[in-house]
Amino acid sequence: MSACDDQQDEFLKNEYILNLNELIMTRNYVYKEKTYQKHKLTDLSVKKSNSYVRNIYEEGGKIFTHKHGYPQFYTQILFEKGQQDIFIKTVLNDEEGISKISTCKKIEKFDDES
């Protein structure tokens, strides 16, 4: 999934690569200068471009990243197969909320190479 916009931030590049065989998600992004400076004010560890990998799993036709946080409060990124929207699932003391965080303009599917 590439050319993904964001509800709060602006990016030069923002893509999510889901490998369902290895059960990993890779996110690659490059902030636009204004967004980078905004985040740099509150977090000196912010990089203008970055990449990270998360483990994923499939449940009920949806794809989730593994839980990030504590048992009482955690977040997960949520994808629906074939859909362009990306959501964040937030759970606080068993109260669940789901919010749209991004819409991707391009979805590419790759078959396994022999």
Side-chain angles (χ1 to χ4, degrees):
M1 303 172 86
S2 59
C4 302
D5 69 356
D6 190 270
Q7 303 295 80
Q8 296 178 344
D9 295 324
E10 294 184 45
F11 296 89
L12 296 172
K13 175 183 179 180
N14 190 22
E15 68 180 7
Y16 297 81
I17 301 166
L18 303 176
N19 184 327
L20 298 178
N21 293 323
E22 294 182 21
L23 295 176
I24 58 171
M25 174 209 75
T26 303
R27 181 178 180 215
N28 301 308
Y29 63 90
V30 179
Y31 285 125
K32 285 190 173 179
E33 189 62 30
K34 183 179 176 183
T35 299
Y36 171 67
Q37 292 301 328
K38 176 181 81 172
H39 289 295
K40 193 75 172 164
L41 285 173
T42 57
D43 185 353
L44 295 176
S45 67
V46 170
K47 297 176 182 166
K48 186 163 183 173
S49 65
N50 204 356
S51 179
Y52 63 84
V53 176
R54 297 279 188 269
N55 292 319
I56 58 175
Y57 64 94
E58 236 179 299
E59 184 177 285
K62 297 179 181 180
I63 301 166
F64 295 89
T65 58
H66 280 269
K67 297 173 182 175
H68 183 75
Y70 301 97
Q72 302 86 355
F73 174 71
Y74 63 87
T75 59
Q76 295 175 283
I77 297 176
L78 164 62
F79 304 88
E80 293 186 25
K81 283 187 173 182
Q83 299 297 313
Q84 294 175 291
D85 294 330
I86 300 172
F87 300 89
I88 189 161
K89 175 181 170 184
T90 305
V91 178
L92 175 61
N93 295 327
D94 295 324
E95 293 292 324
E96 181 180 302
I98 296 178
S99 302
K100 182 173 142 181
I101 58 170
S102 190
T103 300
C104 299
K105 294 175 183 67
K106 192 172 183 183
I107 298 176
E108 297 175 87
K109 295 181 181 180
F110 299 97
D111 294 327
D112 291 340
E113 293 182 18
S114 320

